[in-house]
Amino acid sequence: MTTSTESATERPPTPVVDQMRALGAWNPLWDGLHEMDPAWTEQFMAMGMQPWRSGVLEPKFIELLCIAIDASATHMYAPGVRRHIRTALDLGATREEILEVLKLTTLVGIHACNIGVPLLVEELAAREQGAVQD
């Protein structure tokens, strides 16, 4: 997308994206988005990088959170998990800390049981009574 002050041939600077690429933190799946709208992608990535830039959380803790996000059942991005595990280890995380994060991450998937098991119980009860519900 271009604005009135930006011609179709001018590309806005993208220092955050460029830094992410240089650090190996860039997901190649984002290439298409960056090509279509580099200004928006830059803003989005700047927002996403805020935890590292703010200094509020320790870098090791941020990496542990990133492991949880990338390993979660709703995301499952193995290259990110690997990258964040390596960085967490480089920052002093222990095997036990990373394993605990992965164990906690499995709890995200329990929602399938929270929804599915009661529905299964209802359906089995309805089937026993000879009635099928929608």
Side-chain angles (χ1 to χ4, degrees):
M1 299 181 94
T2 58
T3 64
S4 58
T5 60
E6 176 186 320
S7 75
T9 58
E10 282 183 44
R11 298 201 51 87
T14 55
V16 173
V17 168
D18 297 343
Q19 182 180 29
M20 290 176 73
R21 286 181 194 270
L23 295 173
W26 181 256
N27 179 342
L29 296 173
W30 299 328
D31 287 341
L33 178 60
H34 184 249
E35 281 300 311
M36 287 189 249
D37 197 339
W40 185 89
T41 305
E42 175 69 12
Q43 290 172 347
F44 180 81
M45 295 303 166
M47 177 194 64
M49 295 302 293
Q50 184 58 28
W52 284 273
R53 295 171 142 193
S54 72
V56 173
L57 299 174
E58 293 180 32
K60 180 178 93 170
F61 185 73
I62 296 169
E63 293 300 327
L64 292 171
L65 289 171
C66 289
I67 292 167
I69 292 166
D70 282 346
S72 71
T74 57
H75 193 67
M76 294 174 37
Y77 181 60
V81 174
R82 181 181 306 280
R83 183 176 69 245
H84 292 297
I85 285 174
R86 284 180 181 156
T87 304
L89 289 168
D90 289 346
L91 292 168
T94 65
R95 174 178 51 184
E96 293 79 14
E97 288 173 319
I98 294 169
L99 184 57
E100 286 303 312
V101 166
L102 292 171
K103 287 192 250 180
L104 285 169
T105 301
T106 64
L107 296 174
V108 173
I110 197 66
H111 295 297
C113 288
N114 292 345
I115 293 170
V117 171
L119 294 174
L120 175 60
V121 169
E122 288 176 21
E123 289 301 316
L124 291 172
R127 197 166 283 249
E128 286 177 11
Q129 295 174 359
V132 178
Q133 300 176 0
D134 281 333

